[in-house]
């Protein structure tokens, strides 16, 4: 059997490590390149354990850039899992050298959805994000609207959120993920990103969101004949990761399913008072410049919060106020860079 070659961008992170675990269990996949940031110890371990040919990071490399790594490996699949705007850049680099983009970095669709889709003309774009993988798996041409679920993040049990600390916010009730996305779950900015991501991937704007505490229903599609197809399963990223690698086959074995009991089917409305930035993000879904600003300001604000420079509720305030100051039209990636830079300056001034 000819092995499929895989490059992982963000190999030492939550998605990266789970991708490596999945590949270990699957037959016929070989990691030929990894990109990571600063975690030298883990990076070295991965390179050795998976006998990786090429690696690039801020601390350990045998090539001089991500582009060179991609050029040398020209992999069958790139798993894009670097967070933030750096992840947007590396995703665009990846699609020049691969046939399939397994996309975890939702920021690429948020900041540059139309540009990315155009650039992916000859590249398969398979979502890794759990809700989008779910919808991708059950989607068909009769879909009228879709539903994606949200956990409500660490703040869902709190009434007074103003003084919650980074330590409290980083305790996600369902998923074990990187710091940035975990904070975004609590503001539900992650879910606003996901509504935009779904809008780009499935090309419809009828997207509902409900809070669902157990994370066992990932999404649903409502068909024109009155049918609702629901995607149900444990919250385990290895399932969507494996699907993005093996699509259209299902080769990952995991005989483990949640029970059909009441608590696995509880859904509630999202509170606008508690999650203002989520509602704002939904409103700007068709405004690409504001979407770039939304992402940039959030990155700035989340870092400030994690460094204890601002209070939790100010993340949403900074994001909304920054977006309100940004207007314009995005024509190409240069425009995306420009708006990103400007939004960061504005957000940093708060
Ligand atoms: N975690 C999850 O379950 C999910 C994540 N996603 C998305 O996937 C992406 C990754 O998330 P997650 O895995 O949680 O993030 P993590 O923070 O856990 O991991 C980030 C990875 O990216 C690397 N990295 C960070 N900055 C750079 C950089 N400038 N250059 C090269 N490598 C870099 C890190 O390296 P190092 O640690 O060595 O510094 C690490 O390997 C995000 O876009 C997130 O929104 C989507 C759905 C679910
Ligand atoms: C695992 C995954 O897909 C995350 O994006 C998840 O959706 C985060 O949970 P929230 O629903 O809390 O944003
Ligand atoms: Mn998700």
């Amino acid at each position: 059997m000819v092995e499929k070659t895989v490059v992982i961008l963000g190999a030492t992170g939550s998605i990266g490590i789970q991708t490596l675990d999945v590949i270990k269990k699957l037959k016929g996949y070989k990691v030929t390149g990894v990109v990571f940031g600063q975690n030298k110890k883990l990076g070295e371990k991965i390179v050795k354990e998976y006998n990786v040919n090429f690696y690039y990071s801020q601390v350990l490399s045998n090539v001089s850039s991500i582009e060179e790594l991609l050029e040398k490996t020209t992999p069958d699949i790139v798993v894009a899992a670097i967070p933030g705007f750096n992840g947007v850049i590396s995703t665009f680099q990846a699609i020049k050298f691969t046939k399939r983009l397994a996309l975890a970095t939702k920021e690429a669709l948020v900041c540059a959805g139309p540009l990315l889709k155009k650039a992916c003309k000859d590249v398969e774009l398979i979502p890794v994000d759990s809700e989008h993988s779910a919808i991708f798996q059950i989607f068909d041409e009769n879909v009228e609207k879709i539903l994606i679920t949200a956990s409500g993040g660490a703040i869902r049990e709190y009434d007074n959120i103003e003084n919650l600390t980074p330590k409290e916010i980083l305790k996600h009730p369902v998923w074990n993920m990187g710091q940035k996305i975990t904070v975004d779950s609590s503001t539900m900015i992650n879910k606003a990103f996901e509504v935009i991501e779904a809008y780009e991937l499935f090309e419809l704007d009828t997207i509902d969101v409900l809070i669902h505490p157990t994370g066992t229903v990932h999404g649903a599609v409502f068909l024109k004949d009155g049918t609702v197809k629901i995607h149900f399963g444990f919250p385990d990223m290895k399932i969507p990761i494996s699907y993005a690698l093996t699509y259209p086959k299902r080769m990952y074995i995991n005989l483990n399913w949640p029970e059909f009991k009441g608590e696995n089917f509880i859904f509630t409305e999202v509170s606008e008072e508690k999650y203002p930035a989520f509602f704002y993000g939904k409103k700007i879904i068709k405004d690409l410049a504001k979407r770039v600003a939304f992402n940039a300001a959030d990155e700035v604000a989340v870092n400030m919060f994690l460094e204890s420079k601002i209070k939790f509720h100010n993340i949403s305030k900074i994001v909304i106020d920054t977006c309100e100051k940004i207007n314009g039209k995005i024509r190409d990636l240069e425009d995306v860079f420009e708006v990103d830079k400007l939004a960061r300056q504005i957000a940093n001034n708060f």
Side-chain angles (χ1 to χ4, degrees):
M1 182 208 272
V2 182
E3 282 186 320
K4 282 213 175 359
T5 55
V6 182
V7 163
I8 306 172
L9 308 177
T12 50
S14 158
I15 292 289
I17 294 166
Q18 293 181 85
T19 303
L20 288 161
D21 281 349
V22 166
I23 288 177
K24 197 182 265 178
K25 292 200 183 106
L26 290 174
K27 283 201 178 64
Y29 291 79
K30 157 91 182 117
V31 183
T32 53
V34 292
V35 173
F36 56 99
Q38 317 234 19
N39 194 340
K40 188 172 178 197
K41 206 166 156 205
L42 182 56
E44 270 172 342
K45 185 172 172 282
I46 291 168
V47 168
K48 207 164 155 206
E49 189 176 339
Y50 289 82
N51 196 16
V52 179
N53 311 69
F54 296 102
Y55 43 95
Y56 180 77
S57 74
Q58 290 148 17
V59 285
L60 178 83
S61 306
N62 67 356
V63 285
S64 59
S65 65
I66 298 181
E67 286 233 330
E68 189 190 336
L69 181 142
L70 290 160
E71 198 174 359
K72 285 213 153 91
T73 48
T74 54
D76 294 308
I77 305 170
V78 172
V79 177
I82 295 177
F85 200 69
N86 288 320
V88 180
I89 299 167
S90 53
T91 300
F92 272 90
Q93 288 169 329
I95 54 179
K96 289 193 245 159
F97 300 99
T98 190
K99 298 190 233 15
R100 174 175 297 185
L101 176 66
L103 183 66
T105 301
K106 60 193 89 181
E107 295 90 331
L109 284 167
V110 172
C111 296
L115 305 173
L116 186 73
K117 288 190 291 180
K118 203 168 162 201
C120 278
K121 200 165 60 66
D122 299 318
V123 178
E124 285 179 298
L125 200 177
I126 316 286
V128 167
D129 208 345
S130 61
E131 301 80 358
H132 305 74
S133 173
I135 301 294
F136 182 73
Q137 292 174 45
I138 56 179
F139 199 79
D140 71 43
E141 71 274 16
N142 298 305
V143 171
E144 183 64 24
K145 66 167 184 165
I146 65 181
L147 165 79
I148 60 175
T149 55
S151 73
I155 73 165
R156 70 184 189 193
E157 307 298 345
Y158 293 96
D159 289 327
N160 188 356
I161 60 171
E162 199 177 313
N163 292 317
L164 289 173
T165 61
K167 199 171 163 210
E168 285 161 322
I169 291 297
L170 288 173
K171 274 193 207 132
H172 195 282
V174 180
W175 302 93
N176 189 4
M177 310 182 288
Q179 290 199 341
K180 166 68 170 47
I181 185 174
T182 304
V183 178
D184 287 344
S185 287
S186 277
T187 51
M188 277 189 65
I189 284 175
N190 181 50
K191 212 49 60 177
F193 285 162
E194 293 189 351
V195 170
I196 297 168
E197 184 184 9
Y199 167 69
E200 293 292 356
L201 286 170
F202 306 110
E203 304 197 328
L204 44 78
D205 56 10
T206 41
I207 304 161
D208 289 345
V209 174
L210 289 173
I211 298 215
H212 170 56
T214 54
T216 39
V217 171
H218 307 286
V221 294
F222 296 74
L223 306 186
K224 291 186 172 64
D225 68 355
T227 303
V228 184
K229 287 201 271 180
I230 294 176
H231 190 286
F232 183 60
F234 278 120
D236 174 357
M237 280 310 293
K238 289 182 189 154
I239 302 168
I241 291 169
S242 67
Y243 191 73
L245 293 172
T246 67
Y247 168 83
K249 293 185 185 157
R250 284 181 193 268
M251 290 160 60
Y252 184 65
I253 306 295
N254 169 42
L255 304 180
N256 194 19
W257 310 276
E259 275 180 59
F260 272 67
K261 60 180 182 188
E263 69 185 61
N264 284 337
F265 294 96
I266 290 171
F267 304 92
T268 54
E269 294 292 337
V270 185
S271 150
E272 186 155 6
E273 202 189 326
K274 207 165 182 178
Y275 303 102
F278 164 69
F279 285 87
Y280 186 83
K282 281 206 312 175
K283 267 190 238 154
I284 59 164
I285 186 169
K286 292 181 185 166
D287 186 331
L288 193 50
K290 285 202 196 297
R291 278 163 42 179
V292 175
F294 191 70
N295 177 70
D298 180 52
E299 240 182 286
V300 170
V302 168
N303 281 335
M304 289 199 238
F305 170 69
L306 289 174
E307 289 165 10
S308 300
K309 289 182 182 155
I310 58 167
K311 289 192 170 189
F312 175 72
H313 71 287
N314 282 327
I315 300 174
S316 298
K317 189 170 164 33
I318 289 173
V319 170
I320 295 169
D321 288 359
T322 301
C323 290
E324 282 298 284
K325 294 191 164 68
I326 294 284
N327 290 300
K329 198 164 160 48
I330 302 277
R331 290 154 303 187
D332 50 31
L333 265 185
E334 269 175 38
D335 290 345
V336 174
F337 278 91
E338 205 174 297
V339 174
D340 174 81
K341 197 171 156 197
L342 180 61
R344 277 168 207 273
Q345 281 165 4
I346 297 171
N348 266 311
N349 282 335
F350 276 96

